[in-house]
Amino acid sequence: MTSFPEAARVELANVQLRTNLRNATDTIRAKRAKVVDELPDWEELRDAGKAIKTDVLAHLDEYLLQFESAVEAAGGHVHWARDAAEANAAVATVARAHGVDEVVKVKSLTTDEIGLNAALAEAGIHALETDFAELILQLDGDWSSHILVPAIHRNRSEIRDLFARTIAPGIESDDPRDLAEAARVYLRERFLAARVGVSGANFGIAETGTVCVVESEGNGRMCTTLPPVLVTVLGIEKLLPRFSDLEVFLQLLPRSATGERMNPYTSLWTGVSDGDGPEEFHVVLLDNGRTRVLRDEVGRQALHCIRCSACLNVCPVYSRTGGHAYGSVYPGPIGAILVPQLLGIENAASLPFASSLCGACYEVCPVKIDIPKVLLHLRAKAVEAKASATERTSMRTVAWLFGGPRRLAAAQRLGRAGQRPFVRGGVIRRLPGPLAKWTGTRDLKPVAAESFRSWWRRERR
Ligand code: SF4
């Protein structure tokens, strides 16, 4: 991955991007604040959401097996995938078994995470994105920069030009209604012809084997009901124990995400039913690093995330750099804590530093993920991972010196003697050798002429 500072430098030069981001995030933020204020029990809902997610992670092994049994009892098939390759292979196998060369897809971050479209393309199968923004990105070979509004970095005249070159030759209007109509006409035939649909999911219910997808456009419902075969890729952390838990999350999610009281489309299905929806249903349960995240007692709360994107919309860093600077399908504050854990800190070490630690993300998170705390935890890991042997030895020595009063007093005496040539006007402005990096950007206070302990001894005996 390109490091965040390098990638951000490029994105910051894009004035259009910053204008688009500001307009979009300001609007969503205001809508969210309004609908959240309507609920007198919002804090209790957040507590409930957090408690349910904590319970899920504590008993994930049991809930996964319960979910598997419930799906199979309802006529579905369950596939277990340790990583992206296994998940992609499971989807490709189902598509190949039905002899299709195209599947229709619901917008899904999980399938983006595993690179499903590219993997299917290698198998000779085209994955057609049917969400309006995802379709735009697919037609232009671009990729998402926001969890919920993937094409937030594009404006409507760019989209009109793209459609004129691809799916709607001759289109002149950049009115959003005309652009949506062009996409609708293009997609409708493909929905009707599709024999395999692919989706992610917002929630899976362990108790009943039900899968839930929420969306705004209705394309998701087309994908999950029209094709006779449906494959859902579900991250293992997306489970909820009981059907009644949806009562909490279907209030938290739309309000935090699009600032709506309810999503326009909430689709729920349980296995297969005669004469209603797909005749064949597969669910791929995806790990892909999640069990590694689960092992970290501080970092595991990142798995509570319900992908609402509220943390992106309030983040002062995201609002200036946009999503591409994060180099992942999970941008913003959640990306900064999730990606380094999924990929290993050595592969995304700069991301936990992509934050001012202002805490705005924590305040809006509907499941109370303490993002600043996890960021600090991961920063410590990143520093630890790249510290040189000299740095490590120095830190250990400092810890030893600070660990005993006599040792500290001796170090202070030595420091007082050693610092004399460098103190000018009561501060140290320049140190020699490797220590020069420290004074390159800040002045250093010299060791005090007398320590507090010695003053205390002298004054109070
Ligand atoms: S971390 Fe919280 S605020 Fe951010 S996307 Fe996830 S649930 Fe939403």
Side-chain angles (χ1 to χ4, degrees):
M1 277 173 84
T2 310
S3 76
F4 181 83
E6 275 178 72
R9 209 165 288 128
V10 177
E11 301 298 328
L12 285 171
N14 187 340
V15 179
Q16 180 69 57
L17 168 77
R18 288 217 302 282
T19 311
N20 291 1
L21 280 171
R22 196 172 46 245
N23 292 341
T25 54
D26 282 359
T27 310
I28 303 174
R29 259 200 340 245
K31 279 177 74 183
R32 176 202 165 271
K34 190 161 165 266
V35 292
V36 163
D37 281 352
E38 289 174 356
L39 289 185
D41 59 347
W42 180 250
E43 286 308 311
E44 285 81 0
L45 275 171
R46 289 177 79 205
D47 287 334
K50 179 180 173 176
I52 294 167
K53 284 290 186 176
T54 305
D55 171 51
V56 168
L57 295 188
H59 304 100
L60 192 57
D61 51 346
E62 295 162 32
Y63 289 133
L64 282 166
L65 293 176
Q66 193 185 1
F67 179 76
E68 179 187 39
S69 306
V71 169
E72 287 176 349
H77 306 272
V78 177
H79 309 255
W80 296 83
R82 273 170 295 206
D83 54 24
E86 287 188 2
N88 289 334
V91 181
T93 304
V94 174
R96 258 197 239 107
H98 292 275
V100 299
D101 56 10
E102 180 169 278
V103 298
V104 286
K105 259 191 82 201
V106 190
K107 171 181 175 307
S108 150
L109 282 165
T110 312
T111 59
D112 292 344
E113 173 194 325
I114 59 175
L116 178 66
N117 292 9
L120 287 178
E122 273 180 30
I125 301 158
H126 178 238
L128 177 69
E129 294 291 352
T130 62
D131 172 83
F132 186 58
E134 289 287 352
L135 175 67
I136 292 164
L137 299 180
Q138 185 173 51
L139 289 172
D140 213 16
D142 196 358
W143 57 292
S144 165
S145 65
H146 188 278
I147 288 179
L148 213 72
V149 198
I152 198 168
H153 55 293
R154 311 301 291 260
N155 58 35
R156 56 196 198 181
S157 56
E158 287 175 326
I159 297 165
R160 189 259 329 272
D161 296 346
L162 171 68
F163 279 12
R165 288 199 309 276
T166 52
I167 60 170
I171 186 167
E172 287 175 3
S173 164
D174 66 358
D175 185 298
R177 274 169 304 203
D178 296 329
L179 296 172
E181 182 58 20
R184 187 178 296 123
V185 169
Y186 170 72
L187 289 172
R188 190 54 57 104
E189 292 303 314
R190 313 287 276 269
F191 281 131
L192 292 171
R195 284 160 56 211
V196 176
V198 176
S199 82
N202 294 94
F203 308 104
I205 311 296
E207 176 186 60
T208 56
T210 305
V211 176
C212 174
V213 166
V214 298
E215 39 125 10
S216 300
E217 297 173 14
N219 64 302
R221 183 159 296 169
M222 297 272 196
C223 290
T224 55
T225 52
L226 284 176
V229 180
L230 174 61
V231 191
T232 296
V233 182
L234 182 74
I236 54 175
E237 82 286 14
K238 297 273 182 71
L239 290 190
L240 299 178
R242 297 155 295 268
F243 196 85
S244 57
D245 294 327
L246 284 173
E247 174 194 341
V248 172
F249 289 94
L250 292 182
Q251 293 188 73
L252 288 174
L253 180 55
R255 282 182 157 82
S256 303
T258 45
E260 291 165 307
R261 296 184 185 99
M262 205 182 152
N263 287 94
Y265 294 87
T266 300
S267 301
L268 297 148
W269 65 95
T270 309
V272 290
S273 315
D274 273 347
D276 183 13
E279 294 151 17
E280 190 178 314
F281 171 56
H282 298 258
V283 60
V284 181
L285 289 170
L286 176 75
D287 180 344
N288 206 32
R290 286 158 174 76
T291 44
R292 179 176 35 198
V293 183
L294 194 55
R295 284 202 289 268
D296 186 321
E297 283 182 20
V298 179
R300 72 167 62 130
Q301 54 186 305
L303 296 176
H304 293 184
C305 176
I306 55 172
R307 312 280 188 263
C308 71
S309 79
C311 57
L312 278 66
N313 299 330
V314 295
C315 177
V317 177
Y318 174 87
S319 67
R320 279 151 186 87
T321 64
H324 287 173
Y326 294 78
S328 152
V329 297
Y330 301 115
I334 181 59
I337 60 168
L338 186 60
V339 177
Q341 297 195 79
L342 286 176
L343 300 182
I345 190 76
E346 61 287 3
N347 296 312
S350 65
L351 286 182
F353 297 88
S355 167
S356 65
L357 296 180
C358 68
C361 47
Y362 181 35
E363 279 171 31
V364 296
C365 179
V367 282
K368 289 197 166 175
I369 299 175
D370 192 343
I371 296 175
K373 182 176 178 182
V374 182
L375 284 168
L376 286 177
H377 172 67
L378 294 175
R379 284 181 187 190
K381 282 188 160 191
V383 169
E384 179 69 22
K386 76 166 196 207
S388 64
T390 323
E391 216 171 327
R392 258 191 262 269
T393 314
S394 321
M395 285 302 158
R396 254 184 241 127
T397 312
V398 170
W400 179 76
L401 285 174
F402 282 19
R406 279 172 202 280
R407 293 196 291 269
L408 180 61
Q412 284 168 331
R413 277 197 299 278
L414 268 175
R416 261 179 231 117
Q419 73 189 3
R420 260 181 227 129
F422 306 104
V423 182
R424 298 267 181 283
V427 287
I428 298 172
R429 296 227 156 78
R430 201 168 300 157
L431 281 171
L435 297 174
K437 282 193 180 167
W438 180 269
T439 49
T441 51
R442 52 178 92 67
D443 293 338
L444 194 62
K445 277 281 220 188
V447 180
E450 182 176 29
S451 71
F452 172 77
R453 278 170 196 274
S454 119
W455 174 87
W456 182 266
R457 254 195 319 271
R458 181 163 50 75
E459 290 291 317
R460 308 290 164 96
R461 285 273 155 223

